[in-house]
């Protein structure tokens, strides 16, 4: 059973460009969480999605960031008009259940660098 | 609201020595507690979790943690570390009434030297 896949692993964007980060959950998992790890900081929750639904986006910046998890295909985290402060590692995690007691399985992350 | 505090940002330790990583939390509701490990340039891997029951939890790679409700702590221990334990360790909580949103501490970098 393949683990959580994220691509690309490394992404370089110039200021003002768009970044698209993809996350393929583990087989059978329909719950996806996105977290951001800024330099010298721990991970911060961004958004929680189920198939075709955003359940909680309380950690998402109000502007430029969006996320989706379509019925078919990977979950996408989209950052429009990137700025240097968006440089970070972005991790997604998947879970078979959207429950606090259920284990979340993390992907290897996408490291975004904005130049 | 809840918060997680990892009291040590970096812990140097010699190979085969014991290590303890401290984690304290605060929450107005019941929580589940987790320890994750992150090796360089990799994602997070679950070491262990406390959901209920026995306060001493055993995890992978010889790690264990003890939940202390009165002190709101969940310290991680290993009696004898290996070089391969060099990594960053994160304590995390989620409230029992939630859908799994994790709140992480700032992390503790463990550096094991021969």
């Amino acid at each position: 059973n393949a683990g959580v896949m994220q691509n690309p692993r490394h992404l370089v964007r110039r200021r003002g460009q768009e970044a698209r980060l993809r996350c393929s959950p583990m087989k059978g998992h329909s719950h996806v969480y996105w977290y951001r790890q800024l330099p010298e900081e721990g991970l911060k929750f961004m958004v929680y999605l189920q198939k075709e639904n955003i359940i909680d986006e309380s950690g998402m910046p109000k502007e430029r960031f969006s996320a989706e998890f379509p019925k078919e295909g990977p979950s996408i985290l989209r950052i429009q008009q990137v700025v240097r402060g968006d440089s970070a590692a972005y991790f997604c995690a998947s879970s078979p259940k959207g429950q606090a007691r259920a284990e979340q399985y993390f992907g290897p992350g996408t490291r975004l660098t904005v130049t | 609201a809840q918060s997680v505090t990892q009291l040590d940002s970096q812990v140097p330790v010699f190979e085969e020595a014991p290590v303890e990583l401290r984690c304290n939390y605060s929450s107005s509701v019941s929580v589940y507690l987790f320890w994750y490990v992150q090796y360089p340039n990799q994602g997070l891997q679950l070491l262990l979790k406390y959901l209920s029951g026995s306060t001493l939890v055993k995890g992978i790679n010889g790690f264990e943690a003890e939940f202390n409700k009165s002190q709101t702590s969940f310290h991680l221990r290993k009696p004898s570390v290996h070089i391969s334990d060099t990594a960053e360790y994160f304590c995390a909580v989620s409230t029992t009434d939630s859908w799994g949103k994790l709140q992480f501490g700032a992390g503790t970098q463990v550096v094991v030297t021969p």
Side-chain angles (χ1 to χ4, degrees):
Chain A
N1 189 4
V4 177
M5 311 284 283
Q6 288 188 252
N7 66 80
R9 293 290 306 275
H10 300 275
L11 182 61
V12 179
R13 285 287 178 265
R14 291 197 181 95
R15 279 180 299 172
Q17 291 185 320
E18 178 179 288
R20 281 183 178 242
L21 288 62
R22 295 174 183 78
C23 169
S24 296
M26 288 180 70
K27 187 177 180 180
H29 289 192
S30 58
H31 302 265
V32 167
Y33 307 79
W34 285 92
Y35 296 88
R36 177 167 65 172
Q37 186 175 32
L38 291 165
E40 308 302 323
E41 293 187 24
L43 287 89
K44 306 289 186 186
F45 166 80
M46 299 183 75
V47 62
Y48 163 56
L49 310 102
Q50 296 177 15
K51 286 280 187 181
E52 300 184 276
N53 287 300
I54 298 174
I55 306 302
D56 184 340
E57 55 183 347
S58 59
M60 290 274 271
K62 298 299 181 196
E63 297 177 350
R64 303 187 296 109
F65 285 71
S66 62
E68 62 178 14
F69 189 16
K71 186 177 181 181
E72 302 291 338
S75 175
I76 306 287
L77 180 68
R78 182 183 178 203
I79 312 172
Q80 295 178 290
Q81 299 177 316
V82 296
V83 301
R84 288 222 172 101
D86 297 332
S87 294
Y90 292 81
F91 293 93
C92 79
S94 74
S95 179
K97 298 179 182 180
Q99 296 176 355
R101 63 190 300 125
E103 181 175 349
Q104 293 181 27
Y105 297 81
F106 281 79
T110 293
R111 281 154 181 81
L112 172 65
T113 302
V114 179
T115 61
Chain B
Q2 57 275 353
S3 66
V4 182
T5 302
Q6 291 185 242
L7 297 162
D8 306 294
S9 60
Q10 189 167 41
V11 173
V13 59
F14 288 111
E15 192 175 16
E16 297 183 7
V19 70
E20 178 179 81
L21 308 183
R22 296 178 293 171
C23 173
N24 286 88
Y25 69 93
S26 67
S27 178
S28 56
V29 298
S30 297
V31 296
Y32 297 128
L33 296 148
F34 306 82
W35 275 100
Y36 283 86
V37 60
Q38 184 181 29
Y39 299 104
N41 297 316
Q42 294 187 28
L44 280 72
Q45 181 182 8
L46 181 68
L47 281 175
L48 48 78
K49 60 184 177 182
Y50 174 78
L51 303 180
S52 64
S54 172
T55 56
L56 183 62
V57 181
K58 293 189 183 298
I60 62 171
N61 301 341
F63 284 92
E64 63 180 32
E66 186 153 20
F67 170 57
N68 188 319
K69 188 174 182 179
S70 62
Q71 298 186 5
T72 60
S73 67
F74 190 54
H75 300 335
L76 181 71
R77 301 184 184 94
K78 185 169 182 177
S80 176
V81 297
H82 303 290
I83 297 290
S84 59
D85 292 320
T86 294
E88 188 143 26
Y89 293 78
F90 292 96
C91 181
V93 303
S94 65
T95 58
T96 57
D97 60 351
S98 78
W99 34 255
K101 169 183 172 179
L102 289 170
Q103 179 149 357
F104 287 88
T108 298
Q109 179 68 44
V110 172
V111 180
V112 182
T113 54

